[in-house]
Amino acid sequence: MSDNPRDDRPDRFSVKPAVVDGVLVVTVYGEIDHDVKNDLAQALISADGTAPPRIVVDLSGVTFMDSSGINVFIAAHRRVSEARGGCASPAPRSPSCV
């Protein structure tokens, strides 16, 4: 997994997934909307295509999120919960639900 800035929106969205001690850590910057929902969803899946056991999402760099982004996080939460794992979003800049 690597940094995934949108070529058509380099200054508006990027997502950086990394695995740290078995935890998928996803750092998101910019605007989360319908145009980037698939990129975000892909970043929340393990390299082998399965739900990781634990996900931490850093939303401190997010400036906007519509319902498309919220739906991506709900789907990721469901996948991880079914695998008996967990999701967290530490210290978001503003209240959010993961």
Side-chain angles (χ1 to χ4, degrees):
M1 290 186 231
S2 62
D3 181 18
N4 183 15
R6 289 286 300 234
D7 292 336
D8 58 335
R9 303 166 51 144
D11 58 333
R12 292 183 49 206
F13 175 80
S14 72
V15 59
K16 296 180 181 182
V19 177
V20 179
D21 295 329
V23 176
L24 177 59
V25 178
V26 180
T27 304
V28 186
Y29 299 96
E31 301 174 4
I32 301 172
D33 59 20
H34 178 77
D35 292 338
V36 301
K37 69 179 182 177
N38 294 334
D39 297 322
L40 178 60
Q42 187 63 40
L44 296 170
I45 298 173
S46 293
D48 64 2
T50 63
R54 290 177 287 168
I55 301 174
V56 174
V57 182
D58 178 357
L59 298 173
S60 63
V62 172
T63 57
F64 172 82
M65 180 172 18
D66 70 8
S67 61
S68 300
I70 294 169
N71 287 330
V72 168
F73 288 119
I74 290 170
H77 182 268
R78 287 182 179 153
R79 282 191 312 272
V80 171
S81 294
E82 288 171 2
R84 302 201 187 273
C87 294
S89 179
R93 199 161 50 135
S94 60
S96 64
C97 178
V98 175

